[in-house]
Amino acid sequence: MLVLADRSARMAITPAEIAETRGMVEEQNLDIRTITMGVSLMGCGDENLDRMCTKIYDHVTHTAEHLVETAENLEREYGIPIVNKRVSVTPVAQIAACCKDEDLTPIAHALDRAAETLGIDYLGGFSALVQKGIGDADRRVIQSIPQALATTSRVCSSVNVASLRAGINMDAVLIAAQTIIDAAKLTADQDSVGASKFVCFANMVEDSPFMAGGRGRRGGARGDDLGGEADAVINVGVSGPGVMAAALETLPDSASMMEVAEKIKQTAFKITRAGELMSREAARRLGVEKGIVDLSLAPTPAIGDSVARILEIIGVGTCGGPGTTCALAMLNDAVKKGGVMASSSVGGLSGAFIPVSEDAGMIAAVEAGALSLEKLEAMTCVCSVGLDMIAIPGDTPVETIAGIIADEMAIGVINNKTTAVRVIPAIGKGVGDCVEYGGLFGRAPIMPVNPNAGTVLAHRGGRFPAPLNSLKN
């Protein structure tokens, strides 16, 4: 079922490891969460929007023509499920500068058609990087995002509004907050799903295979990152919360925190090793550059596939209770340490995700009153990303959403880590209601939001200066 032999690294796999991997797949939900091809659009710019859309469609469908077929063949041959096949492209704002059209939704439609033709799940990169200022093309892309997300089914969008070297663009924060509301309103009849396909970042990484924040090469978001990836690259996201939970359940309650950390590292190594070998084989067969392996414990709504459950096995009574941030910090750190021993190309976000709607344990914690938005914000200080897939009341003011974004961006900038906000104002719903998406996105109970944001901070504008620790030279 599983033949994991890597010619370039000579990483031999023993029969015992093969049997163990089979068990992780069949009993503990081990999977390759996504194989994502990053595709450069830098040759697709054109002053005529229609021609540019044609170039984009043709280039993406040609470059990624065999992505799904290759992934399906690997699934059969290696016996490890590959849940999603995705594409990420150059941030669209960087090629949209070639034209002067105000409405750039035709580019999103071209990308959506390409995704449908390829048979992939999602396509990321209808994006702009505005941490230091908003150019004309950036403005046109951002104002097109709500309509683009409302009229496509597979396109995802992101905006980077902050970085260590640039600080926080507070004008962009307010615009992003309004973008979230507009995307939610345009899809109100679908539980405001448009907002679930948009994410606002600080220190956005350019090689993440996960959505909605996946985007391709060029133009780094950290301020000290100049891009420079190949024209096409394969990045793999591997996940296994169920595997991690099963491993930790073998430890007694008397095990020390050091012993818990060691078990996490050992398990992360095994998970990442499978992803590394699959990544190399996919890149070889597709004839493109091998990128990174992103080991992120990304939960699903499936029972047993929960990051919240891992935190509770570590010893927290209920996710969100005192000790949650400590347990999450150790989990995130140990996952990274174990992963880097299995691959020299660990990258992306790599760690633990805490998306509320996608984690059955977190949904239960919210419904029990144990997990609040404020506690989730504290957890983002030590996890891989940020506030993710959180449903809030549909009448939440734009200033409140801007404040939530600003707080999260400050955590990222001051601590030099990637943080993000993906919140869903559920139009027409309030606390006690729920949004239902099904599949990977799951369901999310509407969480209460602190109403005391005021109306001044969000409208001050300007730039939160880069912190002192940004001075690296």
Side-chain angles (χ1 to χ4, degrees):
M1 177 182 180
L2 182 64
V3 180
L4 297 179
D6 184 85
R7 295 186 179 89
S8 62
R10 305 293 188 223
M11 295 174 67
I13 301 297
T14 67
E17 287 178 296
I18 292 173
E20 186 175 33
T21 302
R22 282 178 178 155
M24 290 191 291
V25 170
E26 295 169 1
E27 301 168 18
Q28 300 159 10
N29 299 323
L30 173 66
D31 59 52
I32 302 299
R33 186 56 49 86
T34 179
I35 285 186
T36 301
M37 179 179 283
V39 178
S40 171
L41 298 183
M42 298 307 287
C44 298
D46 198 294
E47 63 182 9
N48 181 281
L49 182 60
D50 290 337
R51 284 200 302 266
M52 181 155 53
C53 289
T54 299
K55 288 180 180 180
I56 290 170
Y57 174 86
D58 290 345
H59 182 61
V60 172
T61 53
H62 173 73
T63 304
E65 180 180 6
H66 300 294
L67 176 63
V68 171
E69 175 190 1
T70 299
E72 290 174 346
N73 288 338
L74 288 171
E75 282 185 286
R76 286 191 295 270
E77 294 171 27
Y78 284 65
I80 301 178
I82 300 174
V83 179
N84 295 290
K85 298 85 178 174
R86 297 168 174 169
V87 168
S88 61
V89 299
T90 306
V92 162
Q94 296 188 15
I95 61 166
C98 295
C99 71
K100 299 298 182 184
D101 298 70
E102 284 292 316
D103 180 13
L104 296 175
T105 55
I107 295 179
H109 296 159
L111 292 170
D112 202 47
R113 290 195 305 274
E116 183 177 4
T117 298
L118 292 170
I120 59 175
D121 303 280
Y122 290 105
L123 189 153
F126 195 78
S127 306
L129 312 179
V130 296
Q131 62 271 12
K132 207 165 186 178
I134 302 175
D136 182 63
D138 300 319
R139 175 189 61 79
R140 289 181 286 128
V141 167
I142 295 171
Q143 73 179 18
S144 299
I145 287 173
Q147 189 66 30
L149 298 181
T151 56
T152 61
S153 59
R154 309 185 195 207
V155 170
C156 294
S157 183
S158 56
V159 174
N160 193 83
V161 302
S163 73
L164 172 69
R165 302 296 287 269
I168 306 173
N169 184 340
M170 293 299 291
D171 294 313
V173 166
L174 183 59
I175 292 170
Q178 188 60 55
T179 300
I180 291 169
I181 293 173
D182 292 344
K185 286 181 176 178
L186 287 175
T187 53
D189 60 340
Q190 304 169 63
D191 271 345
S192 302
V193 70
S196 74
K197 297 185 287 180
F198 173 77
V199 59
C200 184
F201 274 102
N203 294 320
M204 182 182 188
V205 297
E206 67 172 14
D207 53 10
S208 172
F210 291 97
M211 300 294 165
R215 56 99 174 171
R217 69 187 288 246
R218 303 288 188 187
R222 286 184 174 263
D224 56 357
D225 170 7
L226 299 178
E229 291 217 45
D231 288 335
V233 61
I234 285 291
N235 297 314
V236 168
V238 61
S239 187
V243 178
M244 190 66 69
L248 291 175
E249 283 180 326
T250 65
L251 296 176
D253 289 348
S254 59
S256 70
M257 288 293 272
M258 184 68 76
E259 291 171 310
V260 173
E262 285 300 313
K263 178 63 73 173
I264 293 169
K265 285 165 55 180
Q266 293 166 10
T267 308
F269 175 87
K270 295 172 184 176
I271 297 170
T272 308
R273 194 172 184 189
E276 165 71 9
L277 293 172
M278 292 281 275
S279 168
R280 292 184 180 186
E281 186 63 16
R284 184 187 69 79
R285 295 186 186 191
L286 289 164
V288 302
E289 287 284 329
K290 174 187 172 295
I292 58 91
V293 177
D294 187 327
L295 170 58
S296 288
L297 298 181
T300 72
I303 300 299
D305 209 20
S306 164
V307 169
R309 177 60 184 148
I310 295 173
L311 302 179
E312 292 166 359
I313 294 170
I314 289 172
V316 178
T318 301
C319 181
T324 298
T325 305
C326 172
L328 180 60
M330 187 188 68
L331 173 65
N332 207 62
D333 181 65
V335 164
K336 292 179 187 292
K337 288 174 178 174
V340 297
M341 296 302 293
S343 170
S344 59
S345 303
V346 170
L349 298 166
S350 288
F353 289 178
I354 53 172
V356 172
S357 78
E358 300 171 16
D359 189 311
M362 290 198 182
I363 293 170
V366 170
E367 293 177 333
L371 184 60
S372 67
L373 187 59
E374 287 74 20
K375 184 61 176 181
L376 282 163
E377 183 180 290
M379 293 164 69
T380 68
C381 297
V382 299
C383 78
S384 284
V385 197
L387 298 172
D388 195 11
M389 288 301 289
I390 297 170
I392 59 176
D395 60 357
T396 304
V398 66
E399 291 87 359
T400 299
I401 296 175
I404 292 170
I405 294 172
D407 284 346
E408 197 62 30
M409 300 302 101
I411 290 170
V413 167
I414 295 299
N415 293 291
N416 191 23
K417 71 181 292 290
T418 300
T419 54
V421 173
R422 183 163 51 150
V423 295
I424 305 160
I427 306 302
K429 296 190 174 184
V431 175
D433 295 325
C434 188
V435 293
E436 299 272 358
Y437 298 122
L440 185 62
F441 281 4
R443 69 180 183 91
I446 311 300
M447 299 183 69
V449 174
N450 189 318
N452 298 301
T455 59
V456 176
L457 179 67
H459 294 279
R460 283 194 182 277
R463 192 145 51 92
F464 175 120
L468 186 60
N469 62 340
S470 69
L471 300 177
K472 300 291 187 183
N473 292 331

